[in-house]
């Protein structure tokens, strides 16, 4: 590894760096299987202390001006940008991301999100005034009404392991911009990067208690950060199963929720599609975070007129991708996050074989000395009732299902527990948009897998609750208050 390993990382609670009551555990590089550093295991008392510190800091922080809060976020963005290379090296060691992904999509996007919410426009805060022209007592009862946004309060942010920079920044930055305070519980596999983010915010002038970070492998750490009476809202990114448990706890105390959960993105490839574009887009499943991303087009629905050619081209594409050390410049597919997760993904591939799918690419473990690698794998001749087509695998595995006409393609796409991001490829843009409007998903990419970072992001069905990104994140971390007065 090209950077100095983190010796013993301390917790960040109430503006102080504290020794963890539960000791430390090793964070492992998924490529080299070496120890990246030692992460702190918080006790329940320390989690509760973090929540209490955030509660105490909420009043003063929410009373500051938007300009003061924006200045802190802007300085944090500058600090992160100034440390891009060492921060990216740490993120790469924790996650196994390629160098380009670690620098651009992890640390780079994290800094950009702090910068974006340091430039909140007044129009994003305001709600147009509403006047009641005639109240229940006629003209004499006319009332004026103004709707304003208020911060929710103390927000617990529970983040995913696939991106320890962009995901936490996408929660922390808009929450702080709106005047909330936060308790961050990072994924246990790669928490060290989140502590670097806390250091940047501390150096940028965030007051004590505004940002707190507590980590641990024990599920009790996350549960305490959700159930604490000091918490008003939980923002979670992760699996649907965990999200459902969090939602149950939030429901008991009527806590606000923002849930970005699992996905099984359908890629509907119509018979007039540009197959080169479709293959390149679908192929990102193999390379981007090694398929460990909820927005990936993992379930390809191909119209029969292009099915055979699409399978052939996808198989060839997968076979050309270099799997290996993410620090090497020509590596395209890095490792999965852990040995346990690699076993899980491989078990799904074997299950697909047993269900009748044909493995046309991959399916074998790469012959590398170290690292938790899975070869890009393509499963053809699938049906939509197979488990590999219905369950989130979260790895470089794509399934392909044929369909006859447009109605059947839409029906297959919608026949899923998930509805995060779907995709449509067609040479006829009007046709593509027609199909897109029929899909039960929070977002649809038309002839692209790219995202607009101002567009609302979130899912239908078991893919989540609420929307964030851009102005929508400011709405997500605020409550609407009505102020009424005599007209």
């Amino acid at each position: 590894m090209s950077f100095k390993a983190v010796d013993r990382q301390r917790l960040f609670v109430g503006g102080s760096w504290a020794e963890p009551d539960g000791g430390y555990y090793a964070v492992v590089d998924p490529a080299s299987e070496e120890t990246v550093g030692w992460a702190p295991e918080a006790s329940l008392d320390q989690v509760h202390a973090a929540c209490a510190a955030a509660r105490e800091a909420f009043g003063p922080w929410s009373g500051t001006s938007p300009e003061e809060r924006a200045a802190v976020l802007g300085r944090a963005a500058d600090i992160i940008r100034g440390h891009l290379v060492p921060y990216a090296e740490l993120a790469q060691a924790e996650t196994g991301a390629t160098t380009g992904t670690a620098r651009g999509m992890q640390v780079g996007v994290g800094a950009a999100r702090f910068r974006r919410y340091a430039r909140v426009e007044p129009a994003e805060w305001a709600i147009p005034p509403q006047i009641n022209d005639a109240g229940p007592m006629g003209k004499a009862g006319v009332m004026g009404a103004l709707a304003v946004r208020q911060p929710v309060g103390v927000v617990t942010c529970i983040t995913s392991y696939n991106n320890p920079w962009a995901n936490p920044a996408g929660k922390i930055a808009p929450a702080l911009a709106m005047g909330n305070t936060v308790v961050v519980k990072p994924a246990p596999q790669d928490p060290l990067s989140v502590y670097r983010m806390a250091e940047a915010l501390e150096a940028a002038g965030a007051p004590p208690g505004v940002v707190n970070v507590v980590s641990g492998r024990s599920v009790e750490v996350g549960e305490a950060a959700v159930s604490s009476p000091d918490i008003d809202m939980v923002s979670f990114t992760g699996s649907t199963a965990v999200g459902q448990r969090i939602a149950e706890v939030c429901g008991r105390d009527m806590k606000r929720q923002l849930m970005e959960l699992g996905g099984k993105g359908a890629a509907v490839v119509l018979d007039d599609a540009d197959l080169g574009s479709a293959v390149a887009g679908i192929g990102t499943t193999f390379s981007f975070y090694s398929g460990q991303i909820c927005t990936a087009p993992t379930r390809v629905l191909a119209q029969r007129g292009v099915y055979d050619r699409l399978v052939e081209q996808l198989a060839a594409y997968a076979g050309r991708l270099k799997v290996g050390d993410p620090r090497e410049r020509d590596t395209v597919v890095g490792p999965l996050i852990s040995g346990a997760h690699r076993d899980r993904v491989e078990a799904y591939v074997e299950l697909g074989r047993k269900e009748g799918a044909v493995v046309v690419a991959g399916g074998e473990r790469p012959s590398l000395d170290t690292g938790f690698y899975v070869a890009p794998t393509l499963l053809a001749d699938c049906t939509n009732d197979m488990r590999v087509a219905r369950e989130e695998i979260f790895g470089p595995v794509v399934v392909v299902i044929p369909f006859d006409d447009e109605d059947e393609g839409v029906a297959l796409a919608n026949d899923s527990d998930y509805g995060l991001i779907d995709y449509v490829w067609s040479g006829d843009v009007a046709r593509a948009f027609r199909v897109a409007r029929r899909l039960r998903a929070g977002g649809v990419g038309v002839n692209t897998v790219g995202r607009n970072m101002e567009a609302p992001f979130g899912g239908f069905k078991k893919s989540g609750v609420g929307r964030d990104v851009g102005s929508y994140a400011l709405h997500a971390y605020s409550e609407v208050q009505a102020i009424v007065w005599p007209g």
Side-chain angles (χ1 to χ4, degrees):
M1 290 181 288
S2 59
F3 70 99
K4 182 180 178 181
V6 178
D7 185 16
R8 291 183 182 274
Q9 175 63 56
R10 292 178 294 173
L11 304 166
F12 190 54
V13 177
S16 298
W17 295 92
E19 294 290 334
D21 293 341
Y24 300 87
Y25 67 92
V27 176
V28 175
D29 183 329
S32 68
E33 301 184 48
E34 297 176 7
T35 297
V36 176
W38 297 87
E41 184 79 41
S43 67
L44 299 189
D45 286 344
Q46 288 177 313
V47 177
H48 292 144
C51 297
R55 171 59 61 197
E56 184 177 354
F58 170 66
W61 178 250
S62 63
T64 60
S65 70
E67 291 76 16
E68 290 177 83
R69 300 196 291 268
V72 171
L73 298 179
R75 289 192 294 269
D78 291 340
I79 291 168
I80 294 167
R81 273 287 177 196
H83 293 79
L84 187 147
V85 172
Y87 284 171
E89 288 176 348
L90 175 59
Q92 182 175 58
E94 288 192 285
T95 66
T98 61
T99 300
T101 295
R103 292 186 181 184
M105 299 305 298
Q106 293 187 341
V107 182
V109 171
R113 285 182 166 172
F114 278 102
R115 175 60 59 196
R116 188 262 181 258
Y117 293 107
R119 294 195 300 261
V120 174
E121 299 294 330
E124 294 178 319
W125 295 70
I127 299 173
Q130 302 171 18
I131 302 296
N132 181 2
D133 289 333
M137 295 180 290
K139 292 293 183 182
V142 170
M143 304 290 285
L146 176 66
V148 298
R149 295 199 182 278
Q150 297 278 17
V152 177
V154 180
V155 182
T156 286
C157 303
I158 302 179
T159 63
S160 57
Y161 70 71
N162 58 352
N163 196 324
W165 277 94
N167 186 260
K171 299 178 185 296
I172 296 169
L176 296 188
M178 287 303 305
N180 303 281
T181 56
V182 298
V183 176
V184 186
K185 196 282 178 185
Q189 297 93 334
D190 50 10
L192 301 176
S193 290
V194 181
Y195 285 105
R196 301 291 80 73
M197 191 180 301
E199 287 178 353
L201 283 161
E202 180 186 34
V210 169
V211 177
N212 306 269
V213 184
V214 289
S215 58
R217 293 174 298 178
S218 169
V219 295
E220 285 77 13
V221 173
E223 289 174 352
V226 170
S227 62
S228 167
D230 286 314
I231 298 302
D232 301 297
M233 174 179 172
V234 176
S235 177
F236 171 71
T237 299
S239 72
T240 295
V242 174
Q244 288 172 321
R245 293 199 293 272
I246 291 173
E248 290 171 1
V249 175
C250 289
R252 289 198 290 268
D253 293 321
M254 300 303 293
K255 295 179 180 180
R256 184 79 165 270
Q257 304 166 44
L258 179 61
M259 297 282 181
E260 197 271 280
L261 307 177
K264 192 71 176 178
V268 181
V269 182
L270 297 167
D271 54 10
D272 60 352
D274 178 339
L275 292 190
S277 172
V279 168
I282 295 163
T284 61
T285 301
F286 302 130
S287 56
F288 194 47
Y289 300 133
S290 302
Q292 298 168 115
I293 183 157
C294 52
T295 59
T298 55
R299 187 168 55 110
V300 178
L301 308 175
Q303 198 160 10
R304 290 194 187 275
V306 295
Y307 176 84
D308 289 337
R309 284 183 291 146
L310 183 64
V311 169
E312 180 182 0
Q313 291 181 33
L314 278 172
Y317 184 96
R320 291 193 298 268
L321 302 179
K322 180 189 173 183
V323 181
D325 185 346
R327 294 172 180 83
E328 295 181 3
R329 295 185 63 178
D330 57 345
T331 292
V332 179
V333 182
L336 299 183
I337 193 66
S338 67
H341 188 54
R342 176 184 59 186
D343 292 344
R344 178 180 180 273
V345 172
E346 289 178 335
Y348 266 110
V349 174
E350 183 59 30
L351 174 63
R353 284 192 176 100
K354 292 178 179 177
E355 289 181 312
V358 177
V359 180
V360 293
E364 303 293 335
R365 183 179 296 187
S367 56
L368 297 165
D369 294 335
T370 62
F372 311 125
Y373 295 96
V374 170
T377 299
L378 184 67
L379 303 178
D381 295 347
C382 296
T383 59
N384 211 44
D385 59 351
M386 292 179 177
R387 285 181 58 191
V388 290
R390 304 200 67 82
E391 299 176 13
E392 187 176 36
I393 298 173
F394 221 60
V397 180
V398 171
V399 304
V400 190
I401 301 166
F403 69 90
D404 289 314
D405 57 27
E406 189 176 300
D407 288 343
E408 184 187 8
V410 170
L412 288 171
N414 290 334
D415 181 17
S416 173
D417 290 336
Y418 298 106
L420 187 57
I421 305 288
D422 285 346
Y423 305 87
V424 181
W425 270 273
S426 172
D428 182 338
V429 174
R431 183 188 187 194
F433 271 80
R434 181 177 70 239
V435 171
R437 290 294 303 273
R438 298 175 65 190
L439 299 179
R440 298 288 297 166
V444 182
V446 173
N447 293 329
T448 183
V449 294
R451 282 180 56 196
N452 182 318
M453 289 301 173
E454 290 298 313
F457 179 70
F460 289 11
K461 298 180 280 188
K462 291 184 179 180
S463 284
V465 177
R467 297 292 182 271
D468 67 356
V469 181
S471 301
Y472 297 88
L474 299 172
H475 303 169
Y477 293 99
S478 64
E479 296 279 16
V480 177
Q481 181 186 59
I483 301 176
V484 181
W485 66 93

